[in-house]
Amino acid sequence: MKILSLILRIAIGSLFLLSGFSKLVNVQEFFNIAVQYGIGIMAYLSVLIPPVEILLGLALIIGYRTGISGLITSLVTLVFTMFFIYGSFFGKVDDCGCFGSVLKLNMPTWSIYFRNLIIIIGGFIIYNVNDNAHRTWQIALIVPLSVLVFTASGISLVSPFYNPEK
């Protein structure tokens, strides 16, 4: 079970890192995607989503408090899924915005639900198998990166690092 947990940590962590960085390069565009969901608070919180995804992905990959990281990953994915369900039925969402403006997913809706279900189950497996231990080097990596990605998210909201129109 530890091997399965390690594989899930690396796979889900990598997915979260990729998703977070692809949104981080143009938070303004991700904000525009979030507006389409029709949930006002989600659009305003969209600037926080890329850094949270990056930090969760990194925490899973390096093994920082893996139990709580797995649980938070499952809960965050559950919330994202509920927003997507609402946006699909009541908003103008045709793309989940999972990878911001960098990569448009042309996936059927059912496959997004299935992928998210796998992530949610995987997060709970990680939660049940691992502990909440941490090492000093992990904190020394997470804290400065936290400051960096939250700052970059604010900068990218005003002046995107990537503009798909160029």
Side-chain angles (χ1 to χ4, degrees), residues 24 47 51 144-157 161:
L24 184 68
V47 73
L145 186 66
S146 299
V147 172
L148 181 66
V149 294
F150 277 99
T151 302
S153 186
I155 292 170
S156 176
L157 181 64
F161 302 125

Side-chain angles (χ1 to χ4, degrees), residues 6 13 46 75 80 84 89 96 113-114 156:
L6 177 63
S46 65
L75 296 176
F80 289 167
F84 182 68
F89 287 106
C96 67
Y113 296 140
F114 183 72
S156 176

